[in-house]
Amino acid sequence: MNKYYLTTPIYYVNAAPHIGHAYTTIVADLIKRFKRMQGYDAVLTTGSDEHGVNVERAAQRTGKTSKEFCDVIAAEFQRQWQMLHLGIDHFQRTTDPKHARVVNDLFNRCRQNGYIYKGSYTGQYCIFDNLYVNEAKPGDLCPDCGRPTETVTEENFFFKLSEFTQRLLDLYESQPGFIQPDTRRNEVMSFVRQGLTDLSITRTNIKWGIPVDGEAPHVFYVWFDALTAYKTAVEDQGLWPADLHLIGKEIVRFHAVYWPAFLMAAGFELPKKVFAHGWLLFEESKMSKSRGNIVRAEPIQKVMGADALRYFLLREIVFGQDGSFSYDALIGRYNSELANGLGNLVSRTLTMIGQYRGGVVPPGTVDPIADAARQTIADVSAAFDAFEFTRGLEAVWVLLSKLDKFIVERAPWKMAKKPEAQADLDATLYTAAEALRIATVLLSPVLPQSAAKIWAQLGMTEPLESLRLDALTWGQLPPGQKIGEISAVFPRIEAKDAIVKMQELETIVTAEQNVMLGKAPKPEMAAGVAPISDRIAIDDFIKVDMRVGEVLSAEPVKGSDKLLHLKVSIGEPQPRTIVAGIAEAYTAQELIGRKVVIVANLQPRKLRGIESNGMIVAGSIEGGKAVLAGFLEDVPIGARLK
């Protein structure tokens, strides 16, 4: 049996699991199930990335040691995956002693081959994203997350990434499928063509990390450590190289540039594919801890079941692109396609077999539906092979729509009253049940729990997970088979009550996770109102020089979805250049001519290579949307706010 080894990211333990983590892991679980239907020995690895200064600080907040803190968060990830019924074969923790041996082996191989050297580095480092910020100065903010960087001076081991520029480009050209989708491939190739610089792979100013053998006080830097977990999980099992690394698009550079370069340097085989999917947005705004709009999977699972969430994520979102989540859309798609669609078809069909044929599957078949079912098997197989899950599910629902129309047109309830129509009734009922059997098999990687219920109601005794896709053909439902007990697989959900319940549970789960992460509980306040931070003296406030400005020009900052490059007049001889993170709330065009409030006496800072001289004042409402401060009256440009 051929192997198929796939991985999710090794999730960082500075955050408890949320729906973004669940999305990636659910898709990986689907792919694993589908590959097993194709006859592969499919193995899935996920895990927890547990080292770094962020973890040290989070552990200190909880009063735990770093290891104790990691134990708690790693256990929470594992609990979540069990709750969602995900088939995880290996949960690889980076604090596993075996992992330390594999990381050091990779390091030693790279070093022996001449790709590692010792040097020193002074620069700005973002502890939140675990990366050095090139060209940044003390006080600058991280261009990715916007939070303060720290100045770091230390002795490091460096990896000669600069020597892999052409080798990586050759890889991307010779294997176009190595990075998918094509948008991510193009981004990575553009980045590499600019030339690569050597990469720091150890730290000496923190203790919480894997020690470099014989090189104390060096510990491995997060990416050399975390990425290697993919190999650690299957060391000596004959499963390397990975057939698929499934990741979010924000970490594609690390997986498609750094990781293959490390492996090339060590002489190891490369993974076959890196697929970087899009972001999961909450009502069109990216979920983030800073916005406070993160959604957890657990409340949805408790109210609607894990399959409802799986179906929504895989049906609603074109895999590889950004997709939007909302409770209304989740319940709407569930009710229309699962409850009223598939669930209703199953209930109607089996109820008629029970009523008209004593619960025994009759003989007979109708060719038009048989032909449609055969085509659906081919269409779903092709779509899932290409990771086009939405298209595959659309194909199943085309079959279900044809089946529904078929039942309405044939009207078996009328046939049952006519003695001369009994053979046609048999054929109609058999055809409907057989089409549902095939649909159930095809849907089983997406809806594993629900498909198992339908399978049992059809009276099937062969384990659903044992079926192979290449053996799935029309006519395998045995006539004379007794159907099982009929019950609603997808009971209809009342949106208003369900949303209230999920939001209540979301509040509870969030509070529980905050305790795990050492975050102090926030005082109870009105919905959407942020708590007051530490009070300051009037002497501190008067140091802030806020002025009225007018936006003269605005344009998006290249390579950023959040930032706008503004020219703002505050009455000085030359307009100010300001980079503002408001692109998700305002278009460039609608800002031109608008009067705004700016903080005028901030130290200049560089964002995306642009020096920003000031800050726009805005409020943040629920969902993280920025709302600019403004004026009802006509206030002169340059006026100072008091």
Side-chain angles (χ1 to χ4, degrees):
M1 185 182 291
N2 292 329
K3 68 93 179 174
Y4 189 91
Y5 177 44
L6 72 157
T7 70
T8 75
I10 305 299
Y11 299 117
Y12 198 38
V13 295
N14 68 331
H18 53 69
I19 198 171
H21 300 113
Y23 177 44
T24 310
T25 316
I26 284 170
V27 173
D29 178 77
L30 179 157
I31 294 171
K32 173 190 165 179
R33 292 174 187 271
F34 176 69
K35 287 298 177 183
R36 288 196 167 182
M37 286 177 65
Q38 291 182 311
Y40 287 92
D41 179 16
V43 175
L44 170 58
T45 286
T46 186
S48 49
D49 174 10
E50 302 181 12
H51 292 125
V53 68
N54 275 343
V55 178
E56 282 185 312
R57 294 177 180 180
Q60 290 167 3
R61 289 197 302 268
T62 64
K64 294 181 172 66
T65 66
S66 296
K67 181 61 165 59
E68 289 170 342
F69 173 80
C70 291
D71 289 345
V72 170
I73 305 301
E76 178 63 11
F77 271 97
Q78 293 179 77
R79 186 187 72 82
Q80 292 274 328
W81 304 154
Q82 290 168 0
M83 175 196 71
L84 293 171
H85 306 283
L86 304 181
I88 308 302
D89 298 294
H90 299 288
F91 188 93
Q92 182 59 55
R93 298 181 58 182
T94 59
T95 50
D96 182 345
K98 178 179 74 169
H99 179 62
R101 295 194 296 272
V102 176
V103 172
N104 272 287
D105 178 63
L106 178 70
F107 175 83
N108 290 332
R109 288 171 184 265
C110 292
R111 193 177 189 181
Q112 289 164 8
N113 292 337
Y115 292 109
I116 287 176
Y117 63 93
K118 189 179 287 187
S120 62
Y121 181 88
T122 300
Q124 296 306 114
Y125 185 81
C126 176
I127 65 164
F128 302 99
D129 292 324
N130 289 302
L131 56 83
Y132 287 104
V133 183
N134 295 329
E135 302 179 2
K137 296 179 295 186
D140 282 358
L141 303 183
C142 172
D144 288 349
C145 71
R147 288 176 281 195
T149 58
E150 297 184 1
T151 302
V152 172
T153 301
E154 60 181 349
E155 179 186 76
N156 291 169
F157 278 101
F158 285 81
F159 177 79
K160 293 182 180 179
L161 188 64
S162 58
E163 295 193 13
F164 289 85
T165 300
Q166 192 56 51
R167 289 179 66 178
L168 288 167
L169 290 173
D170 291 343
L171 168 67
Y172 308 147
E173 292 286 356
S174 63
Q175 299 182 37
F178 179 73
I179 308 171
Q180 289 294 311
D182 287 341
T183 51
R184 304 283 89 83
R185 177 175 179 266
N186 294 337
E187 286 175 11
V188 169
M189 292 185 71
S190 176
F191 171 76
V192 174
R193 285 192 184 108
Q194 297 172 19
L196 300 172
T197 56
D198 291 350
L199 184 68
S200 169
I201 59 169
T202 67
R203 303 284 304 276
T204 56
N205 64 350
I206 62 171
K207 296 180 180 178
W208 184 239
I210 295 175
V212 181
D213 287 348
E215 294 288 353
H218 287 270
V219 298
F220 286 103
Y221 169 61
V222 60
W223 291 108
F224 201 88
D225 172 358
L227 293 164
T228 309
Y230 301 134
K231 281 189 92 278
T232 303
V234 294
E235 192 73 1
D236 302 322
Q237 294 183 26
L239 290 170
W240 191 261
D243 294 272
L244 172 66
H245 288 319
L246 194 63
I247 60 171
K249 67 180 181 180
E250 70 277 8
I251 53 175
V252 66
R253 184 193 310 172
F254 308 110
H255 286 77
V257 179
Y258 299 175
W259 182 224
F262 296 160
L263 294 169
M264 287 177 184
F268 290 129
E269 290 184 83
L270 305 186
K272 297 178 182 179
K273 186 186 294 291
V274 176
F275 195 106
H277 63 74
W279 284 331
L280 191 58
L281 310 176
F282 181 71
E283 296 177 344
E284 306 304 331
S285 181
K286 183 178 183 290
M287 294 186 195
S288 72
K289 288 181 291 183
S290 59
R291 286 194 177 96
N293 65 344
I294 290 175
V295 175
R296 280 82 181 170
E298 186 168 359
I300 299 169
Q301 185 272 335
K302 287 184 174 179
V303 175
M304 299 183 63
D307 279 4
L309 177 61
R310 289 173 71 103
Y311 182 75
F312 175 81
L313 294 174
L314 295 160
R315 179 72 172 87
E316 180 84 5
I317 300 167
V318 177
F319 192 62
Q321 301 180 15
D322 290 349
S324 185
F325 173 88
S326 74
Y327 291 117
D328 286 327
L330 168 69
I331 295 173
R333 196 172 278 281
Y334 171 91
N335 280 335
S336 65
E337 297 179 12
L338 294 181
N340 296 344
L342 175 60
N344 187 44
L345 268 172
V346 171
S347 179
R348 288 166 64 199
T349 299
L350 297 181
T351 297
M352 287 188 291
I353 292 175
Q355 184 176 349
Y356 304 141
R357 291 297 179 260
V360 175
V361 176
T365 183
V366 179
D367 287 341
I369 296 297
D371 293 341
R374 294 185 188 100
Q375 185 60 51
T376 302
I377 295 169
D379 291 345
V380 172
S381 298
F384 281 14
D385 260 334
F387 301 159
E388 295 177 356
F389 308 117
T390 297
R391 184 166 65 88
L393 289 171
E394 285 172 352
V396 176
W397 255 257
V398 167
L399 173 63
L400 295 177
S401 178
K402 289 179 179 178
L403 176 58
D404 186 57
K405 182 180 179 182
F406 167 80
I407 292 172
V408 171
E409 290 177 345
R410 301 274 290 199
W413 48 91
K414 294 181 181 179
M415 293 179 183
K417 299 176 182 178
K418 301 175 182 179
E420 71 276 11
Q422 295 310 296
D424 285 342
L425 177 59
D426 284 347
T428 300
L429 295 177
Y430 181 89
T431 295
E434 174 64 349
L436 287 173
R437 184 190 70 86
I438 286 177
T440 301
V441 175
L442 296 176
L443 289 172
S444 61
V446 179
L447 301 169
Q449 291 181 286
S450 304
K453 292 177 183 177
I454 297 171
W455 195 248
Q457 291 187 33
L458 284 166
M460 306 301 297
T461 56
E462 183 182 8
L464 184 52
E465 58 271 16
S466 70
L467 267 70
R468 294 292 172 260
L469 205 55
D470 59 2
L472 181 62
T473 60
W474 181 267
Q476 294 173 321
L477 178 64
Q481 177 169 286
K482 184 78 174 176
I483 64 171
E485 183 178 345
I486 304 169
S487 62
V489 181
F490 303 105
R492 186 171 175 81
I493 291 175
E494 292 300 323
K496 184 177 179 181
D497 293 341
I499 290 173
V500 169
K501 183 63 175 175
M502 285 188 283
Q503 289 174 334
E504 289 174 349
L505 289 170
E506 179 72 29
T507 301
I508 294 170
V509 172
T510 300
E512 291 171 348
Q513 290 187 351
N514 284 341
V515 171
M516 278 185 219
L517 296 167
K519 297 178 181 178
K522 296 180 181 179
E524 291 187 11
M525 305 191 71
V529 177
I532 303 299
S533 57
D534 293 340
R535 297 179 184 273
I536 61 172
I538 186 67
D539 292 341
D540 294 319
F541 175 73
I542 62 177
K543 295 176 184 177
V544 181
D545 187 356
M546 290 189 290
R547 301 294 179 100
V548 178
E550 182 179 0
V551 180
L552 304 181
S553 67
E555 60 183 23
V557 173
K558 186 177 180 181
S560 173
D561 297 329
K562 304 176 185 177
L563 302 177
L564 290 176
H565 178 189
L566 310 177
K567 294 288 187 181
V568 182
S569 172
I570 61 169
E572 296 173 331
Q574 297 294 328
R576 294 280 190 106
T577 294
I578 297 177
V579 179
I582 56 174
E584 293 176 331
Y586 296 92
T587 65
Q589 190 61 37
E590 65 184 312
L591 290 174
I592 296 173
R594 181 167 182 152
K595 286 186 177 178
V596 294
V597 178
I598 75 162
V599 179
N601 61 337
L602 284 178
Q603 291 285 347
R605 58 194 176 117
K606 187 171 286 188
L607 293 170
R608 296 282 183 178
I610 304 170
E611 188 174 272
S612 182
N613 284 277
M615 179 182 289
I616 298 286
V617 176
S620 180
I621 62 173
E622 186 177 357
K625 183 178 180 181
V627 178
L628 291 172
F631 308 93
L632 295 175
E633 294 81 6
D634 186 19
V635 183
I637 294 171
R640 183 172 183 176
L641 276 69
K642 299 181 180 180

